[in-house]
Every structure is written in C-alpha cells, then in structure tokens.
Amino acid sequence: MDKLLIEGGRRLAGEIAISGAKNAALPILCACLLTREPLVLDNVPALHDIGTMLKLLAQMGVKVEREGERVTLCAADLGEPVAPYELVKTMRASVLVLGPLVARCGEAKVSLPGGCAIGARPVDQHIKGLQAMGAEVNVDHGYVLAKSPRLKGARLFTDMVTVTGTENLMMAACLADGETVIENAAREPEVVDLAQCLISMGAQISGAGTDVIRIRGVASLHGAQHRIMPDRIETGTYLCAAAVTGGDVRLTGTSAGYLDSVVDKLMDAGCDITSEKSPSFEAIHIKAPSRLKAVSIRTAPYPAFPTDMQAQFMAINAVAEGTAIIRETIFENRFMHAVELQRLGADIRIDGNTAVVQGVARLQGATVMATDLRASASLIIAGLVAEGETIVDRIYHLDRGYEKIEQKFAALGANVRRAK
Ligand code: UD1
C-alpha cells in the first residue's frame, strides 16, 4: 500500500494551479444521464473518485471519452439503470445516479452506500424527496428500487441540509412534470455549479445558491459544454499547508470567493491573504507569519465553515499559539485524525463533537495512518512542520480527492515523496 514520506521543516513558497472540484464534477458527470446528447466537461480532475464514477456510468451504457482534463459523455442509449454495490460501496457519491436515472428511465436500482468512516450517512432524504415526486421507492436486499413512469413536480423539504440530496432531487426535478420547489436546499457552490450546467442543458432552475430552489420540469434536456469550478477544499488545504509553514504561496485558477469562512479564519490566525481577479484569471496569495494564532471553528452548512476543512484546521491549531475549540456539527464521527495527530505530539482532548486543541511549540515526525480523505490532508499538514520524518500510511484516501499531490507539494518546495 502506498505511503507518503514527509520531511518536515521546510517553508512553502511558490505557485501552483488548483484543480477542478471533485464535489462539483461528481454530480455534473451524473447529469449526462438526463440527455441523449453529448455533455462536454472541462477542468475535470484526474482523481480516483472520478474514475469510479466514469466506470459506473460506462457500465450503464454511457459512452465516455477522456482527453486530459476534458471528459465527453454521451448517454444516447442506456442499458440497465443499476448501480451495483461493488462500485457504490467505494464511493458514496454514486448515489447521485439515482435521481437522474429515475427521471430519464422511469426506474433505477441503486445500492445503499452503507457505513463509512466518518459516520452513518444515510440517504433517507434522497428517498423521501423522490417519493414526494410520486416515485414508488422500496429498499430491498441493500438496494434502493425506485419507479415512476414520470416524476411529478412537488414541494420538497429536507429535514437537514444535504448537499448530494439537494443535487439528486434537483436533477430528478429537471425532467419532472410541473414545478418542484426544494426548501432547506444546500447552498454550497458545487450545487450552483451543477445548476449552471443543467441550465446550459436546457433546464429551468432558479434560486440555486439560496435555500429555496425552483425547478420547472421540461420534456427533455440537450447536450452542453461546461467548465467545472475550482476545488475550494483543495484550495483551503494548500492555504493551510502554506500557513502552518510560515509560507508565501500563490494559488492560481481559484477564487477566495468560494471560501470566505476559511479565509477569514486564516486571517484571524495572522495570515495576510489577497485575491487577484481579472476577467480571464483568478488567484489567491497567502503570506503567513512564523507562528499562527489559535483559531476556534464550528462546522456547518455553507456559507459557514466547511466540515471538509475541519481536520486541516485541527492540524494548524496543533502548533498554533493558544487554545482552539473545534466543533463538528455535520458528521458524528469525524475526529479520527485527532488520535493520529496526538502520535505526532499534538495536545488534543475530545469530548463528543468538540475538540480542544492546545497548541504546542513543535510536533515530532512519526508513522501515522490516514483514515479518510480530509484526515489524510491534516496529517500531511502536520508532517510539514513536524521535526524529522512523518510517514502517512494508507494514502489511497488522498488519491480519491487530491490531484498530483506530491508534484504540487514539490513545486512549493516541500519534501513529500511517495513510497510503496
Ligand atoms: C457532501 C460532500 C462531502 C461533505 C458533505 C458536507 C460530495 C460528493 N460530498 O457529502 O465532501 O463533507 O457534503 O458538506 O459533495 N444526511 C441524512 N440523510 C440524508 C442525507 C444526509 O441524515 O439523506 C445527513 C448526513 O449523515 C450528514 C448530513 O446530513 O450528517 C450532511 O450530509 P450531506 O450534506 O448529505 O453530505 P454528502 O452530500 O454525502
């Protein structure tokens, strides 16, 4: 199993380009199921999760062509609308085929995602929404079976803010009969990116980016071309890596506008962050002090602080001056990185969904284990400032969400190597 070897103590400096967003690309790839015509997507990152989604779509009869960062998908003739357990279990986002398949084919059979390292993560809200749109939904032998000759527009209310739930129901509603209103909708920028792609395919959607999204169903959608938005979590992760090393880093092809809450916290920690923007170019520049000040965070749906940045902020707080309180309100079991950070010498106490991080003067390199995608990122960030060598084991998690990670860190002057 691959490992990452990190020699700590180097200040990051230089410039790298941020990739397209995994969490925008995954639902947008599924949008191809809504039309017989080709969907051309640019800025698609080369990540393991993207490969899994393309495999799932290809298995259903979608023609997939991939050339660098461009992916062309054509779902002219679909086979069985089935997403098998073998693929869904490796990636929860596979459930995003459910809405488009029922809308286009009138039926779908999609495996339940099952448990995952960061919590139970059920899909009851996706199911409840489809039922409200008239679908007959049963769960049988671990599969969601949904049927509806034509979905009907409805007023939908999700019990909690769910990102993929909102995306699934928004896609389903595009081909429904009449108007659908999704209340308590997720406002994440990735939901907006999906809506923009669907609109360019002919969908009638308003309100994406607010908590009420209205979709007027149409008889069919057509082909389109769309560029995937930059990855705000990758952006935030490199900002944290620069911050913790007292670095001076420029990130291109990304925008601070997608991560105000993260940028604010890094500024509170003492960093100087500036944005550059012209019609054809965007970048963020961070200059960090030699030691950060501790910053407390509380995760919540967008535009509040993202749960996908919580682990990285635990790592920077581990070596900051002062004490930080970290509250995780989205997932019930998302502190597994704390134990690994403690192996590097971090002083962290966990009580339920709250972590108290007392900054220490230095961390020491050690062998640690990655438990999920963002936990892995936090261990790298800690390794960059730890004395000596840190070995991060089980980095297959990282390859699910960070494109060319060693190359990007190398370009910033870090000593990060991959080993078998
Ligand atoms: C998405 C992101 C993930 C991010 C998360 C929260 C993608 C592919 N993944 O995941 O990186 O960490 O948003 O920002 O975009 N819930 C239910 N029932 C449901 C749906 C959700 O109880 O039917 C709960 C979940 O268990 C969780 C909360 O709602 O506690 C939010 O989950 P959700 O927003 O759905 O996360 P994902 O869309 O899976």
Side-chain angles (χ1 to χ4, degrees):
M1 224 178 277
D2 283 9
K3 303 172 175 43
L4 271 195
L5 276 45
I6 305 151
E7 193 64 44
R10 294 207 188 176
R11 176 173 177 263
L12 298 196
E15 178 175 309
I16 52 167
I18 292 300
S19 303
K22 167 178 89 75
N23 285 355
L26 289 171
I28 291 173
L29 290 171
C30 297
C32 82
L33 293 167
L34 292 165
T35 173
R36 300 180 57 85
E37 296 179 17
L39 179 63
V40 181
L41 302 174
D42 289 310
N43 205 28
V44 179
L47 296 171
H48 198 264
D49 275 7
I50 299 293
T52 305
M53 186 61 88
L54 292 177
K55 209 154 125 189
L56 177 60
L57 293 171
Q59 188 171 303
M60 292 172 185
V62 176
K63 290 215 171 65
V64 177
E65 280 171 37
R66 200 169 178 178
E67 207 187 322
E69 292 172 2
R70 170 169 285 195
V71 173
T72 305
L73 303 144
C74 186
D77 301 299
L78 287 176
E80 292 272 281
V82 177
Y85 178 65
E86 291 66 45
L87 287 173
V88 178
K89 74 172 181 202
T90 65
M91 187 182 63
R92 184 186 146 82
S94 316
V95 74
L96 284 162
V97 298
L98 179 64
L101 281 178
V102 188
R104 164 95 183 268
C105 309
E107 59 177 340
K109 180 177 172 189
V110 176
S111 170
L112 283 170
C116 103
I118 64 173
R121 304 179 88 179
V123 291
D124 55 310
Q125 302 301 312
H126 305 233
I127 294 175
K128 187 177 103 170
L130 289 174
Q131 283 171 330
M133 295 170 82
E136 188 191 311
V137 187
N138 294 300
V139 176
D140 190 31
H141 293 285
Y143 277 82
V144 179
L145 307 168
K147 256 192 189 161
S148 170
R150 181 150 188 215
L151 293 168
K152 290 181 196 59
R155 199 181 167 90
L156 311 178
F157 182 86
T158 54
D159 297 351
M160 77 288 296
V161 176
T162 154
V163 178
T164 49
T166 302
E167 292 166 343
N168 231 341
L169 298 173
M170 183 165 72
M171 288 192 277
C174 286
L175 295 181
D177 186 14
E179 190 186 58
T180 298
V181 181
I182 308 176
E183 294 192 21
N184 200 24
R187 293 183 279 168
E188 268 66 5
E190 293 77 12
V191 174
V192 179
D193 204 30
L194 170 64
Q196 277 163 356
C197 177
L198 292 168
I199 290 167
S200 61
M201 294 166 72
Q204 294 190 9
I205 301 174
S206 62
T210 75
D211 58 3
V212 182
I213 303 179
R214 287 172 195 279
I215 306 115
R216 180 156 290 285
V218 294
S220 65
L221 295 182
H222 51 72
Q225 185 169 348
H226 179 82
R227 184 174 172 83
I228 306 290
M229 65 172 282
D231 196 312
R232 65 192 167 101
I233 305 302
E234 187 196 23
T235 305
T237 301
Y238 284 106
L239 287 176
C240 284
V244 82
T245 62
D248 183 347
V249 165
R250 194 156 169 263
L251 304 175
T252 62
T254 186
S255 160
Y258 298 122
L259 66 176
D260 283 341
S261 57
V262 171
V263 166
D264 275 5
K265 288 290 174 187
L266 287 171
M267 296 196 4
D268 289 349
C271 299
D272 181 18
I273 300 178
T274 48
S275 292
E276 295 165 43
K277 197 170 177 171
S278 74
S280 59
F281 182 81
E282 277 194 271
I284 307 178
H285 188 176
I286 178 167
K287 275 191 195 166
S290 55
R291 190 166 185 204
L292 298 170
K293 291 194 281 269
V295 279
S296 294
I297 56 166
R298 177 179 176 277
T299 67
Y302 189 85
F305 192 92
T307 174
D308 286 350
M309 284 301 302
Q310 179 256 105
Q312 298 87 320
F313 267 69
M314 192 179 285
I316 67 170
N317 276 309
V319 285
E321 196 182 333
T323 308
I325 313 283
I326 298 184
R327 288 212 169 80
E328 172 59 55
T329 76
I330 308 279
F331 294 114
E332 74 269 26
N333 187 21
R334 208 176 192 178
F335 280 150
M336 270 118 41
H337 42 280
V339 196
E340 301 299 310
L341 290 170
Q342 283 164 347
R343 288 179 49 74
L344 301 174
D347 179 352
I348 304 169
R349 271 174 298 126
I350 305 281
D351 181 12
N353 71 346
T354 302
V356 180
V357 187
Q358 174 67 54
V360 294
R362 57 186 60 83
L363 297 175
Q364 292 113 39
T367 298
V368 287
M369 205 164 65
T371 47
D372 70 60
L373 173 55
R374 307 306 170 186
S376 320
S378 81
L379 297 175
I380 297 181
I381 291 169
L384 290 172
V385 279
E387 279 173 358
E389 188 176 65
T390 297
I391 300 172
V392 182
D393 210 347
R394 297 203 183 167
I395 55 154
Y396 55 85
H397 293 290
L398 274 173
D399 297 329
R400 292 186 45 209
Y402 290 94
E403 192 181 41
K404 299 183 188 142
I405 191 157
E406 310 99 277
Q407 290 95 315
K408 289 191 185 184
F409 273 120
L412 297 176
N415 189 343
V416 175
R417 287 175 295 124
R418 189 180 287 251
K420 291 281 171 202

